[in-house]
Amino acid sequence: MAALLVGGLGLCGWRLLAQPGGQATQTTPGFTQPPKPATPKTEKAAALASEGMPFVAGERLVYNVTWSRFASAARLETEVVERGAFFGQEGYQLRTKVETAGDVKAIFFEMYNQYTTYASPRSLLPYRLENTIRQGVNQMDETIFFDQAHREARFNDDSTLPLSPNTYDFTSLLYAVRQQPLAEGWKQSFSVLYGKQPLEIEVEVKKREAVISQLGRYNAVRVDFTPKEKQFSKFRARVWFSDDAQRLPIAISAQLPFGEVRAELTNATQTSRGTQPRIQNTPLAEAPEGGAPATNGHPPGGARGEAKLPFDLGERLNYDIAWGNFTSVGRASFEVRQKGYVGDRRVFEFAAEAASIGAARTLVNVNDQLISFADADSLEPIKTDTRLREGRRVKQVAADYDWSSKQAKLPNGTVIAIAPGTLDLLTLFYSVRAAELKVGALYQFSFLDANHRVRGVAVRVNKTEPIGSALGARDALQLDILTTDKTQLLAQAWISNDARRLPLYIATRTRFGELRFQIATVVNPR
């Protein structure tokens, strides 16, 4: 399962793990089919010094959470994912994850929540939130837009809520407090959005004291967070920040209606982002008139212009992953994060992530990410960053594509010969969507897998049929993913038969069994 989550279309684009000695297509056992359409009655419609920040992109903090007699009740993680331009605005992408563990998950409830915040680079005021909530039978995906200038929040259902000036969410508030001097006696009130409830929280620096954590002994600053609303008076929290330039949250204690919860920092890592291309909003120089766009060596639909692509900036696809008889072992997402220019070249930044959840994490704890910068016309990659975390195994490899010399270059000096049109895992995912996809047609793709080996697949458009999905009943194109000699069926995919070409359902077989990816939510560009 882990191998497919890392780079399979599992994670990013059909790195297909066929077992050796597979049978020809005609005799290969079929995959689990997608659900049939529901009837209408039941269908549910830079660097720290450059900006004066105590943190930089790539910082990742992991906490063990204790509650009552449970020494390991949950796992909390915060990460400064990136600093760049997102949805047309400069800012930080911040992410918080919390997941119950051990006996708490088994006895009480299973929870896996993820909160992604896009915040202004100076004030850290949020302008967009993406929340994924998985708490037992309660599941919700929402996007909240903050209009700080007009003091308004807008929700998925198009409802709005008036906001106080300078309103934060809890993730951005934590980072906003980190950038304060935290002088003893300092006090300030902040407005925070909690669900659809605006709260006023008083933040006060109390005193310096020593804190001992798994990472060692710290001189720390204790900061109290106290809601002013009477009905939330029991929701008090304290955070101990390291008394240094980083102001790391070393420990967090919260008084909740069901008792005290304490989070202790167990791991702090920093991943360099300095080698990433910098995307600009405009080209450094005007491109010559009449220049032909780049084409893929094996063009799925001929040369592509921007208007013909079925995706654009801001699109995010979220998937639930099933394995064998287990209906939910992981989550995966694909995002068109940025669009702009690197030098004079128009590019997309694609990002994808896969993580194991629930009981699957006891078998293997997966949290993998891929980032790809690609030519916006040909979708040929110019740089790929692969970051794999599987249990104790951590791997980070970047590949730079030099199309003038037809080579992909790795940091260790390895040089890989590539033909024009060779893709990476992420650009493969988007190139299949961008293909013309006519029933009966066959398309060939060459790509580098997660280990930077040249691979190839053939994609045949079999037929159209209606299927059910979390998005409702959709007419879909059924694709067979084959070996290049077309003798072995590696996977099947159902892609919406419309202008969006949304991958609705994918099934593939690995040596660990069948994996199925079913679309859960789609965040559209707005």
Side-chain angles (χ1 to χ4, degrees), residues 19 118 234 276 283:
Q19 300 187 48
Y118 298 89
K234 293 182 179 181
Q276 297 289 23

Side-chain angles (χ1 to χ4, degrees), residues 42 44 110 141 146 162 175 195 210 236 314 329 344 350 388 394 454 501 524:
T42 60
K44 293 184 180 180
E110 181 176 340
D141 294 276
F146 281 73
Y175 286 93
R236 301 186 305 274
V329 298
D344 298 331
F350 300 124
L388 312 180
V394 178
V454 178
R501 291 287 196 259
N524 297 308

Side-chain angles (χ1 to χ4, degrees), residues 392-472:
R392 296 184 178 181
R393 176 176 176 260
V394 178
K395 176 182 178 181
Q396 179 172 353
V397 180
D400 290 286
Y401 292 76
D402 184 346
W403 291 106
S404 61
S405 63
K406 299 181 177 63
Q407 293 177 333
K409 301 175 182 179
L410 307 185
N412 63 4
T414 300
V415 175
I416 305 158
I418 54 175
T422 300
L423 305 167
D424 61 19
L425 291 167
L426 257 178
T427 54
L428 175 62
F429 177 83
Y430 287 98
S431 291
V432 172
R433 292 179 60 190
E436 194 172 358
L437 298 182
K438 290 185 176 181
V439 174
L442 184 73
Y443 306 90
Q444 297 278 353
F445 295 90
S446 177
F447 63 97
L448 295 187
D449 66 11
N451 293 312
H452 299 97
R453 296 170 297 193
V454 178
R455 301 292 191 190
V457 291
V459 177
R460 182 165 59 206
V461 185
N462 237 0
K463 61 181 179 180
T464 61
E465 63 178 345
I467 68 169
S469 75
L471 309 181

Side-chain angles (χ1 to χ4, degrees), residues 161-181:
L161 181 73
L163 299 176
S164 300
N166 301 332
T167 297
Y168 294 82
D169 70 312
F170 283 111
T171 296
S172 59
L173 176 62
L174 181 67
Y175 286 93
V177 172
R178 282 182 67 181
Q179 69 173 336
Q180 300 295 329

Side-chain angles (χ1 to χ4, degrees), residues 241-322:
F241 295 92
S242 61
D243 193 10
D244 54 27
Q246 283 187 283
R247 293 193 277 281
L248 291 172
I250 304 301
I252 303 170
S253 175
Q255 290 290 340
L256 302 175
F258 49 83
E260 182 183 28
V261 174
R262 184 178 177 89
E264 181 179 314
L265 184 65
T266 60
N267 190 25
T269 58
Q270 175 67 52
T271 302
S272 174
R273 299 294 201 270
T275 60
Q276 297 289 23
R278 177 66 173 165
I279 290 185
Q280 309 291 337
N281 290 326
T282 56
L284 295 180
E286 292 297 327
E289 292 185 9
T295 59
N296 192 311
H298 300 285
R304 291 182 295 265
E306 181 179 6
K308 297 180 182 179
L309 294 173
F311 48 81
D312 206 345
L313 176 67
E315 181 196 78
R316 180 183 174 90
L317 310 180
N318 299 311
Y319 291 85
D320 288 323
I321 305 173

Side-chain angles (χ1 to χ4, degrees), residues 99-164:
E99 179 181 11
T100 50
D103 289 341
V104 170
K105 179 170 62 178
I107 298 173
F108 295 96
F109 67 101
E110 181 176 340
M111 176 179 71
Y112 178 86
N113 293 351
Q114 177 172 298
Y115 311 91
T116 302
T117 302
Y118 298 89
S120 168
R122 294 294 182 181
S123 65
L124 294 176
L125 285 166
Y127 57 86
R128 180 186 179 101
L129 306 182
E130 295 174 356
N131 299 331
T132 299
I133 310 298
R134 300 289 187 269
Q135 296 180 187
V137 297
N138 297 319
Q139 300 190 8
M140 180 180 68
D141 294 276
E142 66 175 356
T143 302
I144 305 172
F145 303 89
F146 281 73
D147 186 342
Q148 300 284 356
H150 296 91
R151 300 181 185 178
E152 183 180 80
R154 188 173 73 250
F155 299 87
N156 279 12
D157 58 5
D158 288 330
S159 63
T160 59
L161 181 73
L163 299 176
S164 300

